[in-house]
Amino acid sequence: MVLKLIKHEFKYLGRYLLLIWAGMILMIVSQRLLTELRESQNTIWQLVSGTAFGLLFFTLAAMFLVTFGAIVMRFYQNMFSGEGYLTFTLPVKASQIVFSKLFTGAVFMLVPLLIAGLVLVSYIRAPETWYLLYSGFIEFMAESDLPIYVLVIWGLSIVLAPVLQLLEFYTAMSLGQLANRNKIIFSIIAYIGIYVAKQFLGVIIWLSLLMGNYVEKIEMYPFQVVKYASIIGFVTTISLIVINWLIVNYLCKNKLNLE
Amino acid sequence: MKIEIMNLSKKYGSLYALQNVNLTLGQGRIVGLLGPNGSGKTTLIKLLNGLIQPTQGQILMDGQKPGVYSKSKISYLPDKTYLNSQMTVEQLVDLFGDFYADFNFSKADDLLKRLNIPVQQKLKTLSKGTQEKVQLALVMSREAEAYILDEPIGGVDPVGRDYILQTIISQYNRNATVIISTHLISDVENVLDDVIMIKNGGIFLYDSVENIREREGKSIDEMFKEVMRWY
Amino acid sequence: MWQMDSNRPIYIQLVERIIKEIIAGKYQPGEKMPTVRELAEIARVNPNTMQKAFSQLEQKGMLYTDRTVGRYVTQDQAKIREKGKQLARQLGEKFLADMRALGLTEDEIMEVLKTLMSGDKA
């Protein structure tokens, strides 16, 4: 059943986003090509190239935002608008519904990431640069004595960041739909609340860590701090994902307020 | 499907939308759920569909609480547009068929053809009346054990209404329970086996149309209007 | 859609109508009746109600069931004629009662009848 839900999410969002992405990728490619003019002697071309860089950055950022926005809007419409009457009477569990949307959203968010990565990589021309990067990386690992799993954690954190961000929006909307009127406004308020709570939580964690017996550790090797910070950050992200997941599921299952 | 409702109550804040409802609906009956706005009809329907949870009491459908199983056996028609209007009728048929094992594709094709619905078009391009017919066709194409129709003839013209009633009759399955919630009583009276009259969160009548007509010598519509005056 | 009174049980009215149609020859003796569902659809009534009407008609001897093949109109033409006479008599009684309630004499009633019937021929 989950697979069916995912299939339909992909179909629907895909149809919509593929078109938008196609247009944006065209813009990105042309902007990227224009930035090649930076080598030129002509000031006009240099200006064009400079503008292109700006536009390129903007378009890449827009691609992230538009993708994210589409995923979030789809969630709201399909769960809490009139469509909710269909979604929640399908013979599936609420958790399966939320999971299918989260999964599809996470996968779709990888696309702008991939495009941005490709653009970045496209600036590395000479094979020597690759070797330089590689040897620099090896040196870094040797000097810092960071265990491999820290790199794994960093990689996972990049993938999980949009997941958490999506979930936070989902939580905000699940809270917002509790209101009888102005659900969207309440969702925004809820999101602000979540944001503030998260910042507050972050401050508390860091303060307690600093004030605790770990003060001596500041004087230790800086990469140790990086290691522990990465672990703490990762654990926090996972915990927040779990907490948000539980909240969304609880609200959808028990406090659905369709109108 | 056997539907048992026992001591069912639903509270919103300090207000009871439903209080101590007890009902048992047998199979193969077409039941009218009649009551004014705010009577608890919508709440009851949402509870039957597992969209909300009871404050007290329980609902058992073939012995099970509303959940994934009951949803696979109940075909629900809400009283609003609940389908994604960006989708074509074909895509919606595909969606229903994918999720509901009891969806009958040939029945759906037949119904949509008879209703003259252009299946390749997006839902939003169709008139409101046609959209409602699409929703009804999809719901009635399932070989479900229970059908819950919320105001199926509400926003439709008299010709359309007649057609919808005819569809309900023709799709009738003697093992399935059909619950029709409506305030247009006179239009559906002849189609109903039993009626449930609800007001202020409580059931004050559950009897067969036949009994009521024999006893009162009135139509259900007339009787309903009279009784409502007293409550 | 069949016209019906809303203050009397439906199945009784269905029975009455089908009997009238049999008498009128719409359904011939020995002819196979439409199914409960078909007729219910035409009449726009609940199939259960139509089913009950059919059972009543069987009890009255106007229809009979041939195993799982279906229901048929009785072959008993005498019975149908008898029923027809019964119904005619009932209608007549009502007509007379209504006319008399208007205060018409027997002769005046005959006049009305004669005019109506010759009017039909003209």
Side-chain angles (χ1 to χ4, degrees):
Chain A
M1 270 304 173
V2 188
L3 289 173
K4 279 189 198 166
L5 288 167
I6 291 176
K7 179 180 91 175
H8 283 272
E9 283 301 307
F10 264 90
K11 261 189 180 171
Y12 186 78
L13 268 176
R15 226 175 266 141
Y16 186 71
L17 280 174
L18 239 55
L19 250 90
I20 297 181
W21 282 340
M24 288 191 142
I25 288 175
L26 257 140
M27 280 166 55
I28 287 170
V29 168
S30 38
Q31 285 155 3
R32 165 70 186 85
L33 288 172
L34 282 176
T35 62
E36 289 304 304
L37 294 169
R38 67 186 181 279
E39 317 278 329
S40 161
Q41 308 299 336
N42 192 324
T43 7
I44 299 188
W45 292 142
Q46 283 185 351
L47 255 153
V48 170
S49 139
T51 323
F53 263 112
L55 286 174
L56 180 63
F57 183 77
F58 178 77
T59 314
L60 283 170
M63 199 173 175
F64 274 97
L65 285 173
V66 166
T67 307
F68 192 83
I71 297 168
V72 163
M73 281 199 320
R74 158 74 177 174
F75 185 86
Y76 184 82
Q77 206 188 11
N78 193 245
M79 305 276 270
F80 304 129
S81 74
E83 281 180 55
Y85 278 95
L86 176 63
T87 309
F88 285 101
T89 51
L90 290 172
V92 292
K93 290 195 219 165
S95 56
Q96 290 173 320
I97 296 171
V98 180
F99 178 77
S100 66
K101 292 186 187 308
L102 190 62
F103 179 81
T104 311
V107 169
F108 275 81
M109 283 309 288
L110 289 175
V111 173
L113 190 70
L114 186 73
I115 301 291
L118 284 173
V119 167
L120 224 75
V121 163
S122 73
Y123 282 109
I124 300 171
R125 228 73 66 80
E128 305 92 64
T129 328
W130 282 111
Y131 183 71
L132 263 163
L133 282 170
Y134 177 69
S135 49
F137 173 69
I138 300 285
E139 221 185 284
F140 169 76
M141 288 306 285
E143 249 207 60
S144 66
D145 201 25
L146 281 177
I148 302 286
Y149 68 75
V150 174
L151 291 177
V152 175
I153 284 178
W154 286 353
L156 280 173
S157 298
I158 293 179
V159 176
L160 288 178
V163 171
L164 178 59
Q165 196 54 60
L166 277 175
L167 258 179
E168 283 176 357
F169 269 79
Y170 291 176
T171 306
M173 289 187 289
S174 305
L175 288 166
Q177 61 96 33
L178 291 173
N180 286 320
R181 276 172 296 186
N182 304 317
K183 291 183 190 215
I184 299 194
I185 295 183
F186 273 96
S187 301
I188 295 174
I189 294 175
Y191 185 75
I192 295 173
I194 291 171
Y195 184 78
V196 168
K198 219 170 74 159
Q199 303 307 320
F200 196 62
L201 188 75
V203 168
I204 291 182
I205 290 181
W206 286 110
L207 272 176
S208 57
L209 285 172
L210 288 173
M211 314 254 256
N213 315 351
Y214 309 102
V215 176
E216 313 90 75
K217 304 230 165 139
I218 296 175
E219 286 158 75
M220 71 188 175
Y221 204 40
F223 284 114
Q224 286 280 60
V225 179
V226 168
K227 182 172 92 174
Y228 287 118
S230 305
I231 295 173
I232 291 168
F234 183 67
V235 169
T236 316
T237 304
I238 299 275
S239 315
L240 285 175
I241 286 178
V242 170
I243 292 172
N244 276 289
W245 170 265
L246 290 171
I247 294 177
V248 173
N249 272 295
Y250 173 77
L251 290 172
C252 287
K253 209 169 161 238
N254 299 306
K255 298 285 175 194
L256 196 62
N257 188 21
L258 296 171
E259 204 15 69
Chain B
M1 167 177 278
K2 186 170 179 217
I3 300 175
E4 297 167 278
I5 301 172
M6 300 177 276
N7 298 323
L8 189 71
S9 298
K10 179 66 181 174
K11 214 175 175 189
Y12 285 109
S14 55
L15 219 79
Y16 274 102
L18 282 178
Q19 202 161 13
N20 219 358
V21 173
N22 285 284
L23 277 176
T24 302
L25 304 179
Q27 284 172 253
R29 306 290 282 180
I30 301 182
V31 183
L33 183 59
L34 315 176
N37 289 333
S39 54
K41 267 192 308 185
T42 318
T43 309
L44 182 59
I45 290 173
K46 282 186 179 174
L47 283 162
L48 288 168
N49 282 297
L51 291 168
I52 55 178
Q53 308 299 320
T55 313
Q56 264 177 305
Q58 64 176 356
I59 298 176
L60 290 178
M61 305 178 135
D62 281 343
Q64 294 209 23
K65 286 195 186 172
V68 176
Y69 177 78
S70 70
K71 286 176 188 177
S72 69
K73 302 285 177 198
I74 297 178
S75 196
Y76 171 42
L77 179 68
D79 74 342
K80 47 170 49 70
T81 30
Y82 68 113
L83 300 175
N84 189 334
S85 53
Q86 296 285 347
M87 292 175 78
T88 66
V89 179
E90 262 176 346
Q91 288 166 350
L92 288 164
V93 169
D94 181 54
L95 182 81
F96 267 69
D98 213 5
F99 282 101
Y100 294 110
D102 58 17
F103 190 75
N104 187 331
F105 282 95
S106 46
K107 225 190 224 187
D109 287 336
D110 185 56
L111 265 174
L112 290 169
K113 205 174 290 172
R114 282 205 287 160
L115 291 165
N116 285 322
I117 293 173
V119 291
Q120 310 230 310
Q121 286 204 25
K122 288 194 182 183
L123 205 63
K124 64 180 181 183
T125 63
L126 305 173
S127 71
K128 185 156 186 291
T130 313
Q131 287 185 17
E132 296 192 2
K133 287 186 186 158
V134 171
Q135 294 187 165
L136 181 83
L138 289 169
V139 168
M140 297 309 290
S141 296
R142 282 182 58 192
E143 316 271 11
E145 291 183 20
Y147 298 87
I148 301 180
L149 311 174
D150 198 347
E151 298 289 355
I153 58 177
V156 189
D157 62 66
V159 176
R161 268 185 225 170
D162 187 59
Y163 202 93
I164 289 169
L165 288 172
Q166 193 194 343
T167 307
I168 293 171
I169 295 171
S170 67
Q171 301 307 319
Y172 171 72
N173 165 3
R174 77 181 55 228
N175 291 317
T177 309
V178 180
I179 300 174
I180 302 177
S181 169
T182 185
H183 61 278
L184 296 172
I185 302 169
S186 48
D187 284 302
V188 301
E189 263 192 67
N190 292 348
V191 170
L192 302 175
D193 280 305
D194 310 314
V195 289
I196 301 170
M197 292 194 190
I198 182 172
K199 174 126 182 171
N200 294 329
I203 310 287
F204 69 87
L205 180 69
Y206 178 34
D207 207 346
S208 72
V209 170
E210 205 175 280
N211 284 350
I212 294 174
R213 282 194 181 187
E214 260 179 36
R215 201 173 56 226
E216 310 283 330
K218 298 194 188 82
S219 69
I220 307 296
D221 190 28
E222 281 165 0
M223 195 219 146
F224 182 74
K225 286 183 180 129
E226 262 189 33
V227 179
M228 281 299 149
R229 257 179 251 141
W230 290 105
Y231 274 75
Chain C
M1 178 164 171
W2 292 0
Q3 285 300 103
M4 259 174 280
D5 290 334
S6 54
N7 51 6
R8 287 197 301 141
I10 300 167
Y11 81 95
I12 291 174
Q13 300 178 58
L14 296 176
V15 167
E16 287 170 1
R17 174 153 176 161
I18 294 173
I19 288 178
K20 281 196 190 134
E21 290 182 342
I22 292 174
I23 293 168
K26 180 164 180 192
Y27 302 111
Q28 291 293 309
E31 186 183 325
K32 186 167 187 296
M33 286 293 283
T35 64
V36 167
R37 184 190 296 264
E38 283 168 357
L39 216 49
E41 232 185 289
I42 295 169
R44 297 284 191 280
V45 297
N46 187 311
N48 285 333
T49 318
M50 185 59 78
Q51 173 65 46
K52 186 160 181 179
F54 271 40
S55 300
Q56 273 266 304
L57 286 162
E58 264 192 72
Q59 271 177 29
K60 288 187 193 284
M62 297 303 286
L63 300 180
Y64 68 92
T65 308
D66 183 353
R67 275 165 266 131
T68 45
V69 184
R71 283 201 178 83
Y72 292 78
V73 182
T74 181
Q75 313 256 26
D76 192 344
Q77 306 208 20
K79 190 181 188 76
I80 296 175
R81 268 198 303 275
E82 180 57 42
K83 235 345 182 195
K85 283 191 198 143
Q86 240 179 45
L87 211 67
R89 206 188 152 72
Q90 279 172 7
L91 287 169
E93 276 170 2
K94 183 162 195 307
F95 172 75
L96 276 177
D98 285 341
M99 289 282 132
R100 283 184 190 134
L102 283 174
L104 287 137
T105 65
E106 304 270 325
D107 289 326
E108 282 169 332
I109 295 173
M110 285 302 275
E111 272 307 305
V112 171
L113 273 175
K114 279 199 196 127
T115 326
L116 283 171
M117 296 214 288
S118 52
D120 271 351
K121 290 199 186 90

